[in-house]
Amino acid sequence: METLFVGKNIIYLPVVESTNSYAIDLLKNVNPLEGTVVHAAHQTQGKGQRGSVWNSEPSSNLTVSIILKPSFLALKNQFYLYMIAALACYDTTAELLSTGQFDIKIKWPNDILVNRKKVAGILIENKLSNSSISHSVLGIGINLNQLIFPDAKAGSIKNFAKREINIEQVLKRLCYHTEHYYLLLKKSKLEELKSLYLTHLLGLGKTLNFVYRDSSVPFKVLGIGDTGLLLLQDSGGLIKEMDVKEVTWQL
Ligand code: BTN
């Protein structure tokens, strides 16, 4: 592993309910080292965003949780953990595909899309104490070798690259990129992280349709606010800060 701490300690599990839940239990019961990775071949109850389930064909994809202890991070900057996870997934994905050939984007807040199909999802679970984050579990699922998806909006690297992907190698690269961005965060390079995130953000500067208050509404994507909310401008020029419950992308 070409890292200082992320992925130095890997717990491999053939089957588990959810690597995130397993990592959270570890944090409750033992004191795992920062950078510990929980990697499963098969999750029976993988968790997705907003209470959804993350289904992943056994042994085909990467399903991992990375334990971090960002006690240096102020609560108001929580969203930067999403940014570093999204950037790490973005770089890992881009290395597997020739970027010129594919349109790889971060769909706010943190899905990775290739040609508008979701290839990776991130679920972060934080433990807060006072005004900081005592630990954080970055749960990452990257679709690698699965070819058929029940959801037409999902896809895998193999769907695009047309070759078998080595899961362990992808895990190594993901650890490498996660550590790189985490160290930038630790050095308070907030502006740098935000501008990198914006470089890859789907729709930046464009007007796209969103589902807003039960109808389809065009908004211009202006960027991300200080706390990670999406900045959208309506047709009247009014700028709104939206959270994930208020708007959904209509792709
Ligand atoms: C999403 O809904 O987009 C987030 C999906 C996150 C899935 C990953 S797979 C590894 C980790 N363990 C879980 O239970 N969920 C995350």
Side-chain angles (χ1 to χ4, degrees):
M1 195 61 73
E2 310 145 41
T3 52
L4 297 172
F5 59 99
V6 176
K8 283 282 179 213
N9 179 27
I10 298 182
I11 300 171
Y12 173 77
L13 305 164
V15 187
V16 71
E17 278 188 10
S18 150
T19 56
N20 266 33
S21 305
Y22 189 95
I24 291 165
D25 281 346
L26 278 183
L27 284 158
K28 275 186 204 141
N29 301 319
V30 288
N31 188 14
L33 289 172
E34 178 164 52
T36 296
V37 166
V38 181
H39 173 206
H42 177 31
Q43 291 189 122
T44 55
Q45 282 182 56
K47 298 189 280 186
Q49 289 280 337
R50 292 174 291 285
S52 65
V53 282
W54 181 257
N55 287 315
S56 175
E57 203 174 80
S59 304
S60 296
N61 304 315
L62 182 65
T63 45
V64 284
S65 298
I66 302 174
I67 295 175
L68 296 174
K69 301 186 178 179
S71 47
F72 58 87
L73 192 68
L75 270 187
K76 64 177 171 57
N77 290 328
Q78 262 194 80
F79 188 74
Y80 282 86
L81 290 169
Y82 276 98
M83 282 195 197
I84 64 160
L87 286 167
C89 286
Y90 179 94
D91 286 1
T92 305
T93 302
E95 277 175 359
L96 294 166
L97 298 165
S98 21
T99 21
Q101 233 179 310
F102 300 100
D103 178 35
I104 311 175
K105 288 278 179 261
I106 297 173
K107 189 182 98 180
W108 175 86
N110 49 19
D111 291 347
I112 306 297
L113 306 188
V114 176
N115 293 359
R116 300 277 163 113
K117 302 258 188 199
K118 176 165 169 175
V119 299
I122 300 164
L123 173 69
I124 299 188
E125 297 187 76
N126 290 328
K127 169 103 182 0
L128 312 178
S129 66
N130 302 323
S131 57
S132 69
I133 301 160
S134 64
H135 60 245
S136 179
V137 173
L138 309 190
I140 296 174
I142 308 183
N143 298 330
L144 297 177
N145 294 310
Q146 181 169 342
L147 288 175
I148 314 275
F149 292 88
D151 180 353
K153 290 184 187 156
S156 69
I157 302 294
K158 189 173 177 181
N159 284 147
F160 296 104
K162 311 284 182 213
R163 63 186 157 84
E164 191 72 12
I165 307 295
N166 181 306
I167 299 173
E168 268 69 35
Q169 270 170 22
V170 176
L171 174 57
K172 274 191 192 156
R173 297 306 294 159
L174 180 68
C175 289
Y176 175 85
H177 293 301
T178 303
E179 182 172 290
H180 169 76
Y181 290 116
Y182 184 63
L183 291 176
L184 287 183
L185 181 59
K186 213 166 183 172
K187 285 192 238 158
S188 301
K189 304 277 186 202
L190 302 187
E191 282 310 311
E192 188 175 334
L193 286 168
K194 191 170 174 182
S195 75
L196 281 169
Y197 180 92
L198 290 179
T199 323
H200 305 311
L201 184 68
L202 175 73
L204 185 69
K206 295 191 184 135
T207 299
L208 298 176
N209 286 331
F210 289 82
V211 181
Y212 178 63
R213 296 185 176 159
D214 295 325
S215 42
S216 174
V217 182
F219 285 108
K220 184 173 179 187
V221 180
L222 297 184
I224 301 290
D226 285 338
T227 54
L229 298 178
L230 188 63
L231 293 180
L232 296 177
Q233 187 173 38
D234 70 15
S235 53
L238 193 71
I239 298 172
K240 298 173 193 280
E241 277 204 300
M242 304 281 199
D243 82 19
V244 275
K245 285 179 244 103
E246 284 174 290
V247 278
T248 25
W249 299 82
Q250 219 178 25
L251 297 176

